[in-house]
Amino acid sequence: MNLPMLSYWDRSFAMADVVRQARFVDTSWGTNTNPDATGAPGVDFRLMFNSRTIGAGTYKLIFTGKADLSLGGVAGGQVRNQAYDATSNRSTADVVLPQNVTGNTWLTFENTRRTAASTGANGVTQVHLWRPGYATDGSVLFTSEFITAMRKVQILRAMDMTSTNTNPTAHWSERTRPDFIGMTEAKGQSWELLVQLANATGRDLWINVPVKADDDYIAKLAQLFRYGSDGVNPYTSAQANPAYPPLRSDLRLYVEYGNEIWNSSAGFYGLGWVKAMSDAVRADVTHPIGRDLPDEWVAFKRFIAYRSAAISRAFRGVWGDSLMMDRVRPIFAIQAGNANSYLSNGLIWAEGEYGDVSKIWWGGGGASYFDSTTAPADTQPSTMQAYFDGLPDAAFANRIKTDTAWLKGYGLHHVSYEGGPEPGGSALGGGGGGEALANAYNTDPRMPGRMAAAYDLWKANGGELLLYYNYSGMGAPWWFIDGTKNITVSDTTSPKLQFLDSLASRPVASPTLGTAVPGTVYLREATTALQTYIGGNTAWAYGGTAYRIQANTDALKSEMLLVPIRTTSAGRYTVALTTLDSPTTARVQVYVNGAIVGELAPAASSPAGAPATSATLSVDLPAGISVVRLRAKTGL
């Protein structure tokens, strides 16, 4: 599950301390709060802590300094029992909401005095607003309902919670520290908070490394997750009593570079940042991405793979070989369905540069969103039935097939970093009537069944880990909460969450991708879901009955075929290749799921033009889907 950016509008109700999801604004509703390094305002201010719904009850306010307090947006709401302790310079108060509140809710702090010596309004520090029923000493960070919701999944992806798409940090000193309070929109929450969430839920964690992070930042990030931190810097060895703990030893860490760096939409800054970095080196023949002076967009695609590989190697340097690909799982995330050749360009380049890419990445893939062949235009029964009848559309399965063939062909696991149903997508994501319409479809009792059908397609076509988007952020088409209700605690029972509950007992769909073996794979049949890579301008069609592939001395352009197959049981198999008019010098390298298993020497045709079958090569195949990669070593 993708986590939301903590905010006063996201409806996750994740934090026991409401301030961790609140925004500080000045008394004119502007952003001129003159914050210190922890985010605490240095002027009189307002604490905006709700714009959707918040539950009734008595909230405990604690802060360092003193101020005159008032509560806004709450009919009958009061600030009671305000007290100031001059010895500790601490203020306390009860913030009473007599009923559930819908809409903007805020506290105003006026005549602020940060210290006893302050002579003018200079803000306060260490502000906390604890939800009813939670300890006020910081011993509980997350609400019990949020923990319950997050335990419905295996992996928590922190992309939005760390503001990956807009996060400009390049140096470790610029990162959000764990003592930061309030919303952290530009740079996101601290890494320490994410570790604490993963440890509290017992769920694996997926992180997104900021696009501009330098090598020192990445090394320190790897250290933080392995050893913990003192709140400023990571430890470099195990500590008996770390100030902030490392990731639990029974949990895995998935590591991705940025998020959707290919995405040119507003709010996705990664494309521009990476384009500038790749442009700066693409004409440098000594740089790994520029050895053959690629054009600007080939260089851009290679740079994504290059930087992602560098992150993997940095984590290996901290975690060691034995924990890589087991506890630490680097991910090569791309545009779904090998769109714009991000996946194929990256894999081909990386193999040429590093060799076996399964030592660089554990898995990869794109998003796995699906919609219907019928738009959710209204809530008429006929429209809704047509929508669910067409959910998911056929293009969804085709994207899965394409990425499985490429990823398994290079020995990687097929992973989706985000996905799920998105009724209406961005057209219905902007609130108002669109939000109500999307909510109607997402909460319809037919939705879990159609999500199950999509999940079966995912598994049948070689998909492995599918992360859903988003628990409560972004907008109605994507969230997993029940948007038709004015919820005041983390949702644990929405129809989409009920689908997640059902996965524990749902049988895994049988594989359908590829040709069943033992058997013969006819490469010119579309049903084989064959993927090809042909370098240069080589003609690949040979008489309309076969593929023609030939060698190229440039490792980045060696021609290949990717052939998905499936087996009912694991065992030793033999493979042979039938060819037409092959030269006697031809050699074809055979890879199975990314590992080279040998070479085949095509047999000479006799008479000329007749099919000829090579000698056999023994290969071990697992049960299920495999991908055989045939790569020309010498001309064929």
Side-chain angles (χ1 to χ4, degrees):
M1 178 65 68
N2 274 259
L3 301 168
M5 180 181 76
L6 296 181
S7 68
Y8 60 89
W9 64 80
D10 76 57
R11 306 175 79 182
S12 68
F13 309 101
M15 306 303 297
D17 181 3
V18 176
V19 174
R20 297 303 295 261
Q21 296 185 249
R23 174 185 281 166
F24 295 111
V25 297
D26 62 38
T27 54
S28 299
W29 300 100
T31 59
N32 299 318
T33 60
N34 190 29
D36 63 17
T38 71
V43 295
D44 286 356
F45 64 95
R46 289 190 171 101
L47 177 69
M48 185 78 178
F49 62 92
N50 172 54
S51 70
R52 287 277 192 171
T53 56
I54 192 166
T58 299
Y59 294 71
K60 298 292 186 178
L61 178 66
I62 304 173
F63 59 92
T64 297
K66 60 182 178 179
D68 297 335
L69 302 172
S70 60
L71 178 64
V74 186
Q78 294 180 323
V79 177
R80 298 177 181 171
N81 304 320
Q82 184 174 352
Y84 173 70
D85 182 342
T87 302
S88 63
N89 190 34
R90 296 284 278 173
S91 292
T92 58
D94 293 336
V95 178
V96 181
L97 309 184
Q99 65 277 325
N100 295 346
V101 181
T102 300
N104 294 335
T105 315
W106 65 92
L107 279 166
T108 300
F109 292 66
E110 295 180 299
N111 297 317
T112 54
R113 298 292 187 271
R114 182 167 289 208
T115 69
S118 298
T119 58
N122 62 345
V124 300
T125 63
Q126 298 177 311
V127 185
H128 304 281
L129 182 61
W130 299 100
R131 296 184 190 275
Y134 285 93
T136 61
D137 60 0
S139 58
V140 178
L141 290 177
F142 308 101
T143 63
S144 57
E145 295 87 356
F146 186 67
I147 294 294
T148 297
M150 294 303 100
R151 284 179 175 162
K152 293 178 180 289
V153 296
Q154 295 174 319
I155 304 169
L156 305 178
R157 182 172 183 252
M159 183 273 291
D160 279 324
M161 195 171 278
T162 52
S163 300
T164 306
N165 293 325
T166 58
N167 192 329
T169 53
H171 311 299
W172 188 252
S173 60
E174 299 168 340
R175 78 181 186 100
T176 300
R177 287 171 26 181
D179 58 356
F180 196 93
I181 59 176
M183 287 178 58
T184 55
E185 293 160 271
K187 298 189 293 185
Q189 297 294 327
S190 71
W191 300 113
E192 287 89 344
L193 183 69
L194 293 173
V195 171
Q196 290 168 310
L197 176 59
N199 290 350
T201 57
R203 294 300 181 258
D204 296 340
L205 186 62
W206 180 308
I207 63 169
N208 299 75
V209 178
V211 166
K212 298 170 72 175
D214 62 17
D215 292 346
D216 175 70
Y217 187 117
I218 295 165
K220 284 184 168 63
L221 186 63
Q223 291 168 344
L224 184 148
F225 283 102
R226 185 164 194 196
Y227 302 120
S229 89
D230 63 8
V232 178
N233 289 309
Y235 300 114
T236 57
S237 62
Q239 304 293 307
N241 295 293
Y244 292 91
L247 189 67
R248 269 174 32 182
S249 61
D250 59 329
L251 302 181
R252 292 188 173 96
L253 180 67
Y254 295 81
V255 184
E256 177 188 355
Y257 177 45
N259 172 68
E260 294 193 0
I261 295 170
W262 49 266
N263 198 326
S264 60
S265 301
F268 290 80
Y269 297 172
L271 187 149
W273 290 335
V274 170
K275 185 63 164 54
M277 289 187 278
S278 64
D279 284 347
V281 297
R282 72 181 178 88
D284 179 358
V285 295
T286 68
H287 193 279
I289 74 162
R291 302 195 199 283
D292 57 349
L293 297 175
D295 74 33
E296 59 179 316
W297 290 108
V298 170
F300 174 77
K301 295 167 189 175
R302 289 180 185 175
F303 193 92
I304 296 171
Y306 162 74
R307 199 60 185 152
S308 179
I311 292 167
S312 172
R313 298 168 86 184
F315 271 74
R316 184 180 292 274
V318 172
W319 287 74
D321 292 342
S322 64
L323 296 178
M324 292 300 291
M325 311 305 163
D326 179 19
R327 284 201 62 206
V328 179
R329 296 180 168 184
I331 300 296
F332 180 40
I334 46 77
Q335 198 169 6
N338 192 32
N340 295 303
S341 300
Y342 279 93
L343 179 57
S344 55
N345 267 271
L347 291 174
I348 292 165
W349 172 83
E351 184 179 64
E353 183 67 25
Y354 304 112
D356 183 357
V357 299
S358 69
K359 295 180 180 178
I360 298 293
W361 298 298
W362 181 84
S368 57
Y369 291 110
F370 51 91
D371 213 335
S372 174
T373 53
T374 298
D378 53 52
T379 55
Q380 293 297 315
S382 59
T383 304
M384 295 189 76
Q385 187 61 54
Y387 173 85
F388 287 110
D389 287 344
L391 184 70
D393 61 12
F396 175 63
N398 290 334
R399 292 191 297 269
I400 304 168
K401 294 176 183 178
T402 298
D403 288 347
T404 294
W406 277 104
L407 291 160
K408 290 189 76 69
Y410 281 79
L412 304 182
H413 300 267
H414 186 182
V415 181
S416 172
Y417 58 86
E418 59 186 57
E422 49 174 1
S426 297
L428 300 184
E435 180 174 298
L437 193 57
N439 285 335
Y441 281 81
N442 272 328
T443 58
D444 189 279
R446 288 166 287 193
M447 180 58 83
R450 300 320 301 158
M451 291 180 70
Y455 186 80
D456 287 347
L457 284 176
W458 166 256
K459 299 297 288 187
N461 288 289
E464 296 181 53
L465 298 179
L466 196 164
L467 280 72
Y468 289 96
Y469 190 84
N470 176 299
Y471 175 65
S472 62
M474 274 298 291
W478 300 279
W479 60 35
F480 271 64
I481 62 171
D482 186 341
T484 67
K485 299 177 180 178
N486 288 327
I487 58 174
T488 58
V489 296
S490 308
D491 195 347
T492 60
T493 62
S494 72
K496 290 169 77 171
L497 290 171
Q498 291 172 29
F499 157 73
L500 295 181
D501 290 335
S502 74
L503 288 179
S505 58
R506 185 172 185 80
V508 178
S510 299
T512 58
L513 175 62
T515 303
V517 295
T520 301
V521 182
Y522 296 95
L523 300 182
R524 291 292 289 153
E525 288 187 0
T527 55
T528 63
L530 178 73
Q531 303 297 311
T532 64
Y533 175 79
I534 305 299
N537 295 313
T538 304
W540 53 264
Y542 188 76
T545 59
Y547 281 87
R548 179 182 180 184
I549 61 174
Q550 68 182 39
N552 188 310
T553 55
D554 184 346
L556 294 180
K557 296 180 180 177
S558 293
E559 297 181 0
M560 72 180 86
L561 306 178
L562 296 171
V563 186
I565 59 174
R566 66 181 189 273
T567 63
T568 56
S569 60
R572 176 64 60 90
Y573 293 75
T574 58
V575 60
L577 186 63
T578 300
T579 57
L580 303 174
D581 293 341
S582 300
T584 58
T585 57
R587 295 292 184 274
V588 176
Q589 294 176 318
V590 180
Y591 294 74
V592 174
N593 298 331
I596 190 166
V597 295
E599 296 181 3
L600 289 174
S605 298
S606 181
T613 302
S614 70
T616 61
L617 178 67
S618 293
V619 299
D620 291 317
L621 296 177
I625 297 169
S626 290
V627 173
V628 177
R629 180 156 55 112
L630 305 176
R631 188 168 76 171
K633 182 178 181 182
T634 57
L636 172 61

